[in-house]
Structures are given as structure tokens and as C-alpha cells.
Amino acid sequence: MENGASDSKDPSGFLSEIIGTPVTVKLNSSVVYKGLLSSVDGYMNIALEKTEEYVDGELRRSYGDAFVRGNNVLYISAD
């Protein structure tokens, strides 16, 4: 394939490789969650550990564990 497309990974493969690492999850509502990626399923539902919730860039709450429904996710970024 051209333009390096043969080196690209599908999103589920990438996410399964970064389980246990810090991630940033931004929701469609602009709320941001930062924590350790615990698991992800085929619907892109995400489980996070040691999670912090940021609203308008400010820390709002800290959670031990958090579950984010996949249809609310705008993007997931490895930190």
C-alpha cells in the first residue's frame, strides 16, 4: 500500500497494545478523563483505573475506577 498504510494498525489492535498505560479520553461533551487503560471491548467501551475527570481543563473529580461508554468517546490518546 502507498503512504505507509501497510504499517498502520486498526484501532482495536492499538488499544489492546496500550492496556495498562496512561491514556487521555475525550468525550463528545468535551469532558476529559485521564487514567490507566484497564480494558476496552468491541464497542469501544473503556475501563480506566486511577481516573481523573477534567472539565474546562480543571480537575473536577478523581475516581478509583471509571467506565466510559464507547458511543460517548471522541478520541483516545496514549500519553
Side-chain angles (χ1 to χ4, degrees):
M1 296 184 167
E2 295 180 17
N3 298 328
S6 62
D7 294 333
S8 65
K9 298 179 182 179
D10 65 1
S12 62
F14 166 72
L15 291 171
S16 62
E17 286 183 6
I18 63 169
I19 288 177
T21 64
V23 295
T24 299
V25 178
K26 185 167 186 176
L27 305 186
N28 296 326
S29 64
S30 297
V31 174
V32 173
Y33 291 93
K34 294 184 179 190
L36 299 177
L37 182 63
S38 178
S39 68
V40 63
D41 66 12
Y43 296 102
M44 302 301 274
N45 296 318
I46 301 164
L48 298 171
E49 298 174 351
K50 300 179 183 174
T51 309
E52 296 177 330
E53 178 185 60
Y54 292 85
V55 178
D56 297 328
E58 294 185 19
L59 180 62
R60 177 66 57 96
R61 291 188 179 112
S62 294
Y63 302 99
D65 296 326
F67 182 79
V68 180
R69 188 171 175 185
N71 67 338
N72 294 315
V73 176
L74 182 62
Y75 70 78
I76 305 168
S77 173
D79 291 343

